[in-house]
Amino acid sequence: MTRLFPYPILSAALFAAWLALARTLEPAHLALAAALATGIPLVARRLFEPPHAIRSPAAAVRLTVVVLYDVIVANLIVARLVLGPMDRLRPAFVTVPLDATHPYAVSLLAAIITTTPGTVSVDVRLAERAILVHALDCADPAGLAAAIKSRYERPLMEIFG
Amino acid sequence: MIVEAAVSFFLVVGSFFLLVGAVGLARLPDFLMRLHAPTKASTLGIGGLLLASLVWFATHGLPGVKELLVTLFMFLTAPVSANLLGKAALHLRLKSRAPLPPPAPGADPDA
Amino acid sequence: MIATALAVSFVFVAIALAITFWRLLRGPDAPDRILALDTLYINAAAIAVLAGIALDTPLYFEAALAIALMGFVGTVALAKFLLRGDVVD
């Protein structure tokens, strides 16, 4: 079973995505979806990190809610910054040191930093174990790094163990 | 009635954020700051429009979750392209209002 | 109500397209133009979604999906080219 489906969640997502895109439950499409869900992960597995279990689904749900909330609230803040006066913005580069080591956790953290407004992760420096972040308006770089670590990195480490 | 209100709300909010993304792209003073506007505001904006489309077609005889798939796709891909563009800007040492950090020792642009 | 909301949305997105196109022409650097192109893709997909609702046909949605996919691949390829001077390595 694991040899046929090395990435069960990816396979399930591909299966569901195909049926949703075709907007149908016809047997032919079910078969095609099953074939794609089996074939794509097998063909593409050389590109991926080895599969890794989610240790704490509860933490994953909590983090999803936190990120969705932050995306909406912080987008309003960025909208105000963008429409307001430009010379008041204080852009800064912030280096966020990493405690998380798993590649999944690090790349997810980089993606979350970019999706939550005010910050874009510019460079993931695995050798230095740090993410270089560009902030649009930041008066307190150390505080921003600490906030990112406690709000996003800690739950990610819980999830990936 | 509630459906109409929801569709209208998502339409206006979504297109407003698309506009904010474009205004940011035009107004912000340097490239790395400009990178902030479209990667987030525009992604949220198209997400709003897709939600409007989802509700509209769900109540007009075409239920489905296609729109959610596209929204998810947008949210997955926006950080990737933003990260690559940011790396390219650092690599080219573009002008930036925030002082540029030193390049990583032995930096491999693929890392 | 939806007709008004649609009209407002079309105007907003059209302005967004115009501003983004201005950035595409003006630059000043290659990453700026790539970013503007990426934003143009997103806004074009938005216009397609709006047209789908306005004309009450799901056909435009497929177009929006294709535009979104092509936009991402194009942006990644162009950014890679700036980083390495080569698209595939």
Side-chain angles (χ1 to χ4, degrees):
Chain A
M1 206 54 187
T2 11
R3 279 190 59 198
L4 198 54
F5 296 106
Y7 297 90
I9 299 177
L10 176 64
S11 292
L14 282 170
F15 186 78
W18 181 263
L19 291 180
L21 281 177
R23 275 202 230 259
T24 168
L25 284 174
E26 278 171 41
H29 274 292
L30 286 175
L32 191 49
L36 289 171
T38 328
I40 291 177
L42 289 179
V43 172
R45 68 184 302 179
R46 284 198 312 148
L47 301 172
F48 301 152
E49 294 288 328
H52 191 278
I54 292 175
R55 296 238 196 281
S56 162
V61 171
R62 240 178 297 135
L63 182 65
T64 310
V65 173
V66 166
V67 169
L68 280 180
Y69 175 81
D70 285 0
V71 165
I72 292 166
V73 169
N75 252 304
L76 294 172
I77 298 172
V78 163
R80 215 192 53 212
L81 290 178
V82 162
L83 301 174
M86 287 293 119
D87 47 346
R88 222 184 284 159
L89 296 178
R90 293 152 297 182
F93 282 99
V94 181
T95 307
V96 180
L98 290 177
D99 292 317
T101 47
H102 197 278
Y104 283 146
V106 174
S107 52
L108 251 181
L109 180 61
I112 289 175
I113 290 172
T114 301
T115 324
T116 51
T119 49
V120 166
S121 50
V122 181
D123 203 356
V124 179
R125 297 180 166 173
L126 282 179
E128 296 163 55
R129 305 200 46 202
I131 295 183
L132 184 65
V133 174
H134 182 270
L136 187 56
D137 183 35
C138 171
D140 174 19
L144 179 69
I148 287 173
K149 287 184 77 67
S150 66
R151 204 167 166 82
Y152 308 124
E153 193 190 16
R154 201 168 307 145
L156 279 172
M157 289 170 73
E158 245 178 83
I159 293 169
F160 290 103
Chain B
M1 186 61 209
I2 296 170
V3 168
E4 271 199 23
V7 173
S8 308
F9 174 78
F10 285 131
L11 279 176
V12 173
V13 169
S15 52
F16 172 74
F17 275 109
L18 280 169
L19 186 57
V20 166
V23 169
L25 188 67
R27 284 194 70 201
L28 289 164
D30 69 54
F31 173 74
L32 279 161
M33 292 171 81
R34 283 199 277 275
L35 190 54
H36 286 266
T39 51
K40 300 168 237 251
S42 297
T43 311
L44 191 69
I46 189 100
L49 292 188
L50 287 165
L51 266 181
S53 161
L54 176 76
V55 176
W56 173 260
F57 284 111
T59 51
H60 284 71
L62 256 181
V65 287
K66 261 184 175 182
E67 282 89 346
L68 286 184
L69 278 177
V70 180
T71 314
L72 192 66
F73 174 77
M74 289 278 185
F75 272 92
L76 290 181
T77 55
V80 178
S81 36
N83 182 249
L84 280 172
L85 283 172
K87 249 198 275 190
L90 273 192
H91 181 68
L92 299 172
R93 312 297 288 173
L94 290 190
K95 263 196 309 247
S96 159
R97 215 202 257 186
L100 282 177
D108 173 13
D110 241 2
Chain C
M1 183 160 53
I2 286 183
T4 321
L6 267 175
V8 172
S9 302
F10 269 120
V11 171
F12 278 2
V13 179
I15 299 173
L17 276 168
I19 300 174
T20 315
F21 192 63
W22 174 79
R23 176 56 76 192
L24 177 69
L25 293 179
R26 183 151 184 278
D29 298 299
D32 283 292
R33 294 183 212 271
I34 300 175
L35 185 62
L37 204 55
D38 189 50
T39 316
L40 271 182
Y41 270 114
I42 296 180
N43 281 304
I47 286 273
V49 172
L50 286 176
I53 301 178
L55 303 173
D56 205 2
T57 158
L59 273 182
Y60 284 90
F61 184 78
E62 320 291 338
L65 185 61
I67 293 171
L69 285 167
M70 294 301 131
F72 173 63
V73 175
T75 308
V76 167
L78 287 169
K80 268 276 171 206
F81 179 75
L82 283 188
L83 272 170
R84 312 294 306 245
D86 207 344
V87 178
V88 182
D89 54 13

